[in-house]
Amino acid sequence: MLTEDNKNNKESALKINEGIEQPSQVNQEVINKFLSKTKTPSTQELIEGIKNGDRVALSRAITLIESLNPRHYCEAQKIIEACLPLSGNSIRIGVTGIPGAGKSTFIESFGTMLTELDYKVAVLAIDPSSQLSKGSILGDKVRMERLATNPKAFIRPSPSAGTLGGVSRKTKETMILCEAAGFDIVLIETVGVGQNEVAVRNMVDFFLLLLVAGAGDELQGMKRGIIEMADAIFINKADGDNINKALASAQEYKLALHLLPPHPAGWTPIVDVCSAITGYNLDKVWETIQKYINLVKQNAYFEKNRQNQEAQRIYDYLIEELNMFFWNNEKLQNEYNKLKDLVLKQKITAYQAAIKLKKLFIKLISKR
Ligand code: GDP
């Protein structure tokens, strides 16, 4: 503050310049926001929040889905039920490829391009953290920094620790919530290292495989199965000196695709090249997806496929529930061990053992 003394005494060495009035250090708006974030919202508040596209509510609800606490499970199921009628309106895209193919870089560039086209994009990345090492492939990687701060995007790593059915259920439920929150495109990233691909293929409309030219031959076996599931293959890293190699590789895959059985939607899978770094052909990827979606919506495969996926899911969950019941039940476990012994000593056949176990299972169930 400028004192009278100071104003009058221009010669004084102690001059204080009048500054701009500073706002109060305590910003009530920030505090309110903080408090609203820290207080635990009710189930109804979370549902309303999701419906209004509030990403804090969406994140909290997804945390409930991922929780192993039975109380959270019940709350999560209520939220999912409320969101279900609002779901189903997005284009669901699976993106797979071996580690290092450029999936995160691709999703970062492709997702950003989609937001520039005014789409709201949710990214669910399945982190294949190993249950044995408890490590995480994705956790220590700084991923999709640009997209993470984009107001039209939402990124959420999906845990993969747990049973495969559990992973696919949680990812599917997260997708339902994202759709209810108004996301137009859901990208599900999965590392091409195993069974997760099938689970993801069974919950998306379009499955994109990213490859790189000259990936090791040892991967060919694994890739063949994945190639059969792909609606499009893009050879990534088609930039700099690598363009010609990428084009040659695309040519090879085009030839290889001729040997596969026809696509069930009457679609001819596309093989092309792109660069996640330069953005080359990313528009072509989107054009391809749109063409596919238009075709399958016209020929009714889109709806049929989604219905088949749901029906398959009931089957998968049922098998998993039965399995869990079976292997968590002490009496069944003991009986299994006893019968296994008899089978190994060639006293009874494996089939007879299975029938005995089924009988015990039914007896236990009917007592509950
Ligand atoms: P991910 O493991 O499949 O998710 O692969 P990343 O996105 O982490 O990419 C692996 C490496 O490849 C990183 O060093 C990227 O910078 C690089 N990369 C990804 N896309 C491209 C691309 O289009 N061109 C080039 N030259 N490098 C790329």
Side-chain angles (χ1 to χ4, degrees), residues 96-107 109 137-138 141-144 189-191 210 212 235-240 242 274-280:
T96 194
I98 53 166
K103 293 177 298 298
S104 354
T105 316
F106 173 86
I107 289 178
S109 307
I137 293 184
L138 307 183
K141 231 163 108 179
V142 182
R143 313 172 82 247
M144 305 176 205
E189 178 193 352
T190 167
V191 176
L210 282 186
V212 276
I235 314 292
N236 190 31
K237 309 196 185 182
D239 44 51
N242 209 29
C274 71
S275 168
I277 295 259
T278 65
Y280 173 62

Side-chain angles (χ1 to χ4, degrees), residues 292-337:
Y292 177 84
I293 297 294
N294 284 340
L295 171 82
V296 293
K297 282 201 167 165
Q298 265 169 24
N299 69 15
Y301 179 82
F302 183 85
E303 209 34 54
K304 199 174 102 193
N305 185 43
R306 282 199 173 181
Q307 285 175 0
N308 285 344
Q309 289 179 342
E310 287 306 321
Q312 177 67 34
R313 231 184 302 285
I314 304 174
Y315 173 83
D316 292 345
Y317 296 158
L318 176 64
I319 297 295
E320 175 150 318
E321 287 297 317
L322 290 176
N323 252 319
M324 261 172 15
F325 176 84
F326 194 98
W327 296 112
N328 289 335
N329 186 286
E330 218 182 304
K331 283 191 181 143
L332 282 163
Q333 279 259 22
N334 292 340
E335 187 67 2
Y336 169 83
N337 289 332

Side-chain angles (χ1 to χ4, degrees), residues 18 35 39 47 53 88 113 127 130 150 186 212 227 241 271 278 314:
E18 196 165 13
L35 285 178
K39 122 176 178 310
I47 294 170
M113 184 192 85
D127 182 343
S130 147
N150 186 325
V186 180
V212 276
I227 285 167
D241 294 343
V271 184
T278 65
I314 304 174

Side-chain angles (χ1 to χ4, degrees), residues 1-8 14-19:
M1 232 213 276
L2 209 59
T3 61
E4 272 312 298
D5 239 21
N6 186 241
K7 259 187 208 167
N8 298 335
L14 186 74
K15 268 193 195 157
I16 303 170
N17 292 326
E18 196 165 13

